[in-house]
C-alpha cells in the first residue's frame, strides 16, 4: 500500500515497489536447484495453521453457483504468500509473522446503535451461520488482483443477528489491537486498530460477504482469520481482516487508510478504471499468479449487483 511520500518504500505503488521484486526473487530461489525441498514443504507449513481449528468440520461448504467467475482461481500457495496485513508488517511476505495471530479464543463484540449490545465467540457464530463457498475477484488499490474461493456467510445474515436500530446509517468494523501479537502495531505512527466501514445499504447487499474460510478450509491466518470482510466491488483495503468489533453508527466511520491519507484512500473506494489514484493509473491490474496485465472493470465487474447503490450520489468521491 502506498500512503505518505516521506516514508520509505511503501510510499510507491505496489507495481513499482520492492516487495514484488522480492517476491519474484524468492520464487526464483525456491524454484532453483537445491532448494526444491524448501518449496515442497511450503504448502504444508502454511496449511498447519488450520489443522487444530475447531471449525474444520464445517468445510468444505457447498459452492453457491450464483458466484462463479470467468477467471482462474489464484493458486493457494501464491495467495497465501502475498498478503497485505499491516499488523504483521508493511510488505507482502507476512505469512510467517502472521502465525503469531491467535484465533482462539476469539470474540466479536456488537455495539453502538443496536437493540442490545452483545459479544459472541467465533465458534458459536459459525455454528449459527449457513456456510457457503463463493468465487470472488479481489482488486487491490495497488493494481494487482486475484481470484479466491472464499467460504463464509452473507453480511446480511449477521445484520439480522445484530439487530441494528433504524437510526443506524453505517456499520464500522474494527480489527484487534495487540502489539504483542501483531508486532507491526508497535509502529505507533499508524492509526491502529485497522478500521473499515460501509453504509447500511452496502452492508445489506447480497455481495457483502463475511469470510471464515478459503480454499475449502478454515482460513489461514494471513487471510484475516477467523473472520474477515469481502466487498469485491471495492478496492481491497475495504475488506478488513480479523474482525473483533462491529459497531453501528450514525456518523460515517473514518477508516485506517482514510485517516492516513484522505486524498488517496476514501470511504467509498469503488473500483473504477477511469478514475486514477492520485499517483498511478487504475486502468489495468496485474493478475497475481499469471503476472498478466488485464483491463480493470468498473465495480470490478459487479456493477449489475451494486451500481444502483450509488444512484444520485455523483457529488461523492465514489471511486477512491
Ligand atoms: N486488518 C487488516 N485488514 C486488511 C489489511 C490490513 O493491512 N489489515 N489490508 C487490506 C488490503 S490493502 C488488501 S488488498 C487485502 C489483502 O487481502 P489478502 O492478503 O487476503 O490478499 O486485505 C485488506 N484488509
Ligand atoms: Mo490492497
Amino acid at each position: 500500500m502506498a500512503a505518505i511520500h516521506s516514508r520509505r518504500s511503501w510510499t510507491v505503488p505496489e507495481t513499482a515497489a520492492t516487495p514484488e521484486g522480492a517476491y519474484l526473487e524468492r520464487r526464483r530461489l525456491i524454484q532453483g536447484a537445491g532448494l526444491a525441498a524448501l518449496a515442497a514443504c511450503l504448502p504444508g507449513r502454511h496449511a498447519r495453521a488450520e489443522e487444530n481449528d475447531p471449525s474444520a468440520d464445517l468445510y468444505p461448504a457447498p459452492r453457491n453457483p450464483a458466484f462463479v467467475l470467468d477467471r482462474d482461481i489464484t493458486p493457494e500457495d501464491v495467495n497465501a504468500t502475498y498478503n497485505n496485513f499491516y499488523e504483521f508488517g508493511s510488505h507482502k511476505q507476512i505469512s510467517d509473522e502472521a502465525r503469531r495471530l491467535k484465533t482462539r479464543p476469539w470474540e466479536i463484540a456488537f455495539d453502538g446503535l443496536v437493540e442490545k449490545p452483545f459479544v459472541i465467540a467465533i465458534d458459536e457464530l459459525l455454528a449459527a451461520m449457513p456456510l457457503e463457498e463463493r468465487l470472488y475477484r479481489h482488486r487491490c488499490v495497488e493494481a494487482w488482483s486475484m481470484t479466491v474461493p472464499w467460504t463464509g456467510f452473507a453480511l446480511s445474515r449477521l445484520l439480522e443477528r445484530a439487530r441494528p436500530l433504524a437510526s443506524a446509517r453505517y456499520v464500522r468494523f474494527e480489527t484487534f489491537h495487540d502489539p504483542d501479537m501483531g508486532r507491526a502495531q508497535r509502529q505507533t505512527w499508524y492509526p491502529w486498530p485497522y478500521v473499515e466501514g460501509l453504509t447500511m445499504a452496502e452492508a445489506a447487499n447480497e455481495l457483502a460477504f463475511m469470510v471464515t474460510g478459503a480454499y475449502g478450509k478454515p482460513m489461514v491466518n494471513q487471510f484475516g482469520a477467523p473472520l474477515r470482510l469481502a466487498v469485491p466491488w471495492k478496492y481491497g483495503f475495504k475488506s478488513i481482516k480479523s474482525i473483533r468489533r462491529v459497531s453501528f453508527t450514525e456518523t460515517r466511520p473514518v477508516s485506517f487508510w482514510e485517516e492516513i491519507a484522505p486524498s488517496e484512500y476514501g470511504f467509498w473506494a469503488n473500483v473504477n478504471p477511469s478514475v486514477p489514484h492520485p499517483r498511478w493509473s487504475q486502468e489495468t491490474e496485474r493478475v497475481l499468479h499469471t503476472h498478466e496485465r488485464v483491463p480493470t472493470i468498473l465495480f470490478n465487474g459487479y456493477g449489475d449487483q451494486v451500481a444502483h447503490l450509488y444512484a444520485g450520489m455523483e457529488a461523492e468521491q465514489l471511486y477512491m
Side-chain angles (χ1 to χ4, degrees), residues 243-295:
I243 295 165
R244 269 277 173 79
R245 183 173 169 207
V246 181
S247 311
F248 297 89
T249 65
E250 208 186 313
T251 51
R252 196 165 94 178
V254 178
S255 58
F256 182 79
W257 284 104
E258 190 181 7
E259 175 107 34
I260 293 169
S263 62
E264 305 197 1
Y265 310 104
F267 173 78
W268 300 102
N270 295 310
V271 174
N272 188 337
S274 59
V275 178
H277 181 276
R279 291 182 289 123
W280 60 86
S281 163
Q282 295 290 23
E283 275 172 38
T284 64
E285 62 205 54
R286 181 178 58 90
V287 179
L288 212 53
H289 65 294
T290 64
H291 307 287
E292 209 184 344
R293 280 224 154 250
V294 300

Side-chain angles (χ1 to χ4, degrees), residues 124-135:
E124 195 188 326
L125 183 65
L126 281 165
M129 293 291 160
L131 297 187
E132 63 182 59
E133 184 178 75
R134 298 183 178 188
L135 305 188

